[in-house]
Amino acid sequence: MKQRAYNTLIATIVACTACGTASAAGWMDQATGLLNQLGNASQTATPATSQGSNSAMTNLSNSDVVAGLKDALRVGSERVVAQLGKADGFNADPKIHIPLPESMLQVKRALTAVGMGSMMDDLELRLNRAAEAATPKARTLFANAIKAMSFDDAKKILSGPDDAATRYFRDKMSKPLSDEMKPVIEKAMAEAGVVQAYDAVMGKYQSMPLVPDVKANLTGHVIDGGLNGIFTYMASEEAAIRHNPVERTTSILKKVFAGQ
């Protein structure tokens, strides 16, 4: 039974991950069930059969489960980076579009009232362009976090909530990704003319009578918005992997388990 469950696990991982994330959907739950079967079989095996070759097989099965999970997450993370790290990846997506900082809304209202609201729209566009330019930095950091994932990490992710892998990435990547994105965003903001646009906006605003002081950390705002966008879509990829089962794969697994 253990050998059959192990073989099924390998076949499922290889077949699913070869097809990409969309076709691999649903294999996490299958892998978790097979992992549990393998674990139960190890606990009930007699001493004579649980030594030597069984030990090697257990190590190999662990390796294959981790490899399968890593491959699915690699495909998902690469898709996210490719989707967001291009023109309008942020700007045209209402789910993750980066708005003006809240402190700038008063400036927008004031300038809109005198027919200069387009200046604020231009500034907002440039903020999103900066996030799009910085997002490719996430590719290497995702790869590093996936490479560092242990079998225990993988098992927690497989048996965890819908966003367990996303939480893992947030924990491992938020600080280094923020550090990596900062100089890229600063450069992108300079190239996109954010500073000039901001200075022009604030110059017009401050020339108005009786307006309060306004300050905004545009770099920090874009970094926060960029991280939020990346992890929002990583969570969507993870949910797809878990909850969109491929019918043929599910049918095969049902037949396998029915015979045990």
Side-chain angles (χ1 to χ4, degrees):
M1 173 178 170
K2 183 175 179 181
Q3 182 66 56
R4 198 157 60 235
Y6 166 73
N7 290 340
T8 303
L9 175 61
I10 304 307
T12 301
I13 288 173
V14 171
C16 290
T17 56
C19 297
T21 300
S23 297
W27 78 269
M28 276 188 169
D29 292 336
Q30 299 155 15
T32 303
L34 289 166
L35 261 178
N36 291 336
Q37 285 207 356
L38 288 169
N40 292 338
S42 294
Q43 291 172 3
T44 57
T46 62
T49 60
S50 61
Q51 300 296 322
S53 62
N54 268 3
S55 174
M57 186 177 73
T58 300
N59 289 336
L60 182 58
S61 68
N62 291 355
S63 173
D64 284 320
V65 170
V66 174
L69 175 62
K70 287 183 176 183
D71 201 45
L73 294 176
R74 176 189 59 78
V75 171
S77 63
E78 287 180 355
R79 181 175 289 123
V80 169
V81 172
Q83 176 184 337
L84 305 188
K86 63 183 181 182
D88 284 336
F90 278 85
N91 184 59
D93 189 334
K95 282 177 67 175
I96 60 169
H97 175 89
I98 300 174
L100 292 167
E102 194 171 336
S103 62
M104 296 291 294
L105 296 182
Q106 184 168 335
V107 178
K108 183 173 184 177
R109 285 191 296 269
L111 292 182
T112 300
V114 294
M116 297 181 183
S118 61
M119 294 179 70
M120 301 301 294
D121 295 335
D122 180 61
L123 176 59
E124 190 169 333
L125 170 63
R126 293 170 191 268
L127 295 179
N128 283 272
R129 290 288 184 255
E132 291 157 6
T135 294
K137 279 288 182 182
R139 182 178 283 108
T140 299
L141 292 174
F142 268 119
N144 291 342
I146 291 168
K147 202 176 294 183
M149 191 180 290
S150 68
F151 175 70
D152 285 342
D153 292 330
K155 196 167 184 181
K156 286 176 185 175
I157 288 170
L158 285 168
S159 60
D162 284 358
D163 63 345
T166 305
R167 292 184 188 185
Y168 172 85
F169 287 129
R170 274 191 181 273
D171 180 58
K172 297 288 183 183
M173 290 176 55
S174 287
K175 178 62 167 64
L177 183 52
S178 176
D179 292 343
E180 287 281 331
M181 288 177 75
K182 184 176 180 179
V184 179
I185 284 175
E186 288 175 339
K187 181 181 179 183
M189 286 170 63
E191 290 176 350
V194 172
V195 175
Q196 295 92 323
Y198 176 77
D199 287 344
V201 162
M202 294 309 295
K204 292 291 184 183
Y205 173 72
Q206 289 166 353
S207 69
M208 296 178 174
L210 305 175
V211 292
D213 262 351
V214 171
K215 292 182 180 178
N217 178 359
L218 296 183
T219 301
H221 181 67
V222 174
I223 289 173
D224 290 344
L227 292 175
N228 177 68
I230 289 167
F231 291 124
T232 291
Y233 272 103
M234 195 62 220
S236 295
E237 287 289 329
E238 182 178 1
I241 292 169
R242 291 181 186 273
H243 294 300
N244 294 335
V246 176
E247 196 60 40
R248 183 173 59 184
T249 302
T250 302
S251 298
I252 291 171
L253 285 170
K254 285 179 179 177
K255 290 179 183 178
V256 169
F257 287 118
Q260 292 179 355

